[in-house]
Every structure is written in structure tokens, then in C-alpha cells.
Amino acid sequence: DAKTTQPNSMESNEEEPVHLPCNHSTISGTDYIHWYRQLPSQGPEYVIHGLTSNVNNRMASLAIAEDRKSSTLILHRATLRDAAVYYCILRDHYSGNTPLVFGKGTRLSVIA
Amino acid sequence: ETGVTQSPTHLIKTRGQQVTLRCSSQSGHNTVSWYQQALGQGPQFIFQYYREEENGRGNFPPRFSGLQFPNYSSELNVNALELDDSALYLCASSLVGGAGYTFGSGTRLTVV
């Protein structure tokens, strides 16, 4: 399985932007980069995904490096409700309904 | 649009017993996956069902088995429970070819 590397934990002040990094140096050409987050006492929740171009949605932005070996999830204004474990996952788009392979993720703490 | 619902939310079993966990998929989704999440770890893929057939399995022994029903709901069965089976069990549904998975809030299983 393609692997990702994320910091174990990060901290942010409320209402500040947060940049969550992910390294995936062995990414293949058909791997999409997916981000999920898991709030306390809940199941993971889809955040965003992309292939090559930067992506924006109502929750976050995804910045993908030109060589695709790294990406950054950007929360534009962190709130206390964004405190969660964030998972960066590679998923091959052309291997059918491939399951998600989770690492340990980054635990984001948001300080009021 | 309904989400994924799991039952029960919490369960305590004795070592050696058998357990059945249930999941109702999100409306319109035809694939269901099950994950095991130990404390402090990311979710680990158990298996996946599509059209009532298992079409992917992680590194779990045969005493972990499942079913998917025509209405796309699903069951996870675990026989001969061991203490290490204590974990949060997550169900996720998706559409074949779709980008995202929708997770339930999980069943917390404790084996004593």
C-alpha cells in the first residue's frame, strides 16, 4: 500500500489558519489524495480529495505539490469544533472500490 | 439523506462468546466496509461487501465474518471473542466509483 507520513500532533489558536502537512513520496500516478477527520467519539468524516490541482470546498482547501509527493490540508479559520484527528490517505482511483488505508493521522488541538 | 447508523452503540461480552454488530448504509450506497479501531490507532480495514459478496478483506482471521443484505444493510460477526477484540468497530458505506465514504459513529465493544 502507498504510505503517507504525517506529524503526530499540531496545535492552533482559534480563528487562525491551520496547515496540516502530509508526505507521500511513493505516490503513483493514479492515486488520489484523500483527507478525512475524526472528531471525538465519532467515525471518520470525509473532508476533501484531489489528484493534481488544488481543491477548495466549504470545509477546507487542499494544496498539492507540483511533484505530488506532498500535500497540505488548509483550514482557513480554525474553530474549537475542528479539534480532531486528521488522516491523509492515498487511494488508487482505478482499482475499483478500494478500501481506505488509515495511518495514525495528526491530532489537531485548537486553543481558545 | 440518511447517514450510516450502527447498533448497538456499546456492548460488553465475555471472552469466547460471539457478537453481531449491525449497520444501515446511507441511502443509495451499494458498498459497505467494516473497520476496527483500537484506542489511539487509526481504523484498520476488516472487509468490504458489494452486491452481497465479500470483495476485499484485510488481515483479519476467519472468525471475523460478515453479511450484506439486499437493502444494503450489513452485519459483522465475530466468533470466539478475544480480549484484543476490544475496540471501536466502524461501518462505512459508499458507491462503487464514488469518491467518499460515509462512516457511522461506531460500536464500542469491550471483551472481558
Side-chain angles (χ1 to χ4, degrees), chain A residues 91-107:
Chain A
R91 187 163 177 248
D92 188 336
H93 183 68
Y94 293 107
S95 293
N97 207 18
T98 53
L100 299 172
V101 178
F102 290 83
K104 288 192 176 181
T106 296
R107 181 172 297 279

Side-chain angles (χ1 to χ4, degrees), chain A residues 1 10 13-14 35 49 57 61 67 69 78 88:
Chain A
D1 292 331
M10 290 184 66
N13 293 318
E14 198 177 12
W35 284 82
H49 77 286
N57 67 19
S61 295
D67 63 6
K69 295 187 178 200
C88 169

